[in-house]
Amino acid sequence: MLDILLSHIQNKVELPEEQINQLPSFFTSKKLRKKQYLLQEGDICKCLSFVIKGLLKSYALDEKGNERINMFAFEGWWISDFNSFIHQEKAVLNIDAVEETEVLMITLEDYERMMLEIPVMDRYFRILYQNSLVTKDYRLMVSNSFTAEEKYMQFAQRSPEIIKRVPHNLIASYLGLAPETVSRIRKKWSLNT
């Protein structure tokens, strides 16, 4: 299980052998059934989670109870309600499994201890946070500037694996579109390919 995480880390920073051997002591594993919660709104996010296998979604519920998907996380992605995790405040997001999923979890205490004991991990997470900010800025620009079809096409090009694995109604929620709009775009797109 740790091989996927280790590969992800070493893709961004170099870990000496002795520090590689320390990694397992910081993490616990968990399996989730499809639709099982990893986190519910109002709870404290106790762990930062790395997806080993499967697919998760994070979302908030609007006033009508509709999901407004914030993020999808599949193999090799981290997920949490980061504000809740860092500040140990009530979560505003729900996180649940779209598929059967396995995650590695690290508590805030172990996260901070890992940063002290394996200083290169601080750089690893800094790189992740920088990439996350770039992605969020891009998503905001797309959301505010692109047509429905452009939003879908950009998403399909940047996230082809998610397009194949996620039902179109969840993609519609993520893109801020009606499911019928996504169905129409997908039909048009399949006719042109």
Side-chain angles (χ1 to χ4, degrees), residues 46-57:
K46 302 220 183 278
C47 294
L48 183 60
S49 299
F50 182 81
V51 181
I52 296 295
K53 177 183 172 230
L55 179 65
L56 298 166
K57 68 178 190 258

Side-chain angles (χ1 to χ4, degrees), residues 6-42:
L6 185 57
S7 174
H8 193 267
I9 292 168
Q10 290 185 314
N11 216 11
K12 305 209 178 335
V13 297
E14 194 172 323
L15 267 180
E17 189 68 33
E18 66 274 6
Q19 294 178 342
I20 289 171
N21 295 331
Q22 282 180 270
L23 273 180
S25 68
F26 300 106
F27 293 91
T28 58
S29 63
K30 182 172 185 168
K31 292 183 179 186
L32 300 162
R33 295 177 315 279
K34 185 177 180 177
K35 297 186 179 184
Q36 183 178 352
Y37 283 99
L38 179 64
L39 175 69
Q40 285 187 276
E41 178 184 356

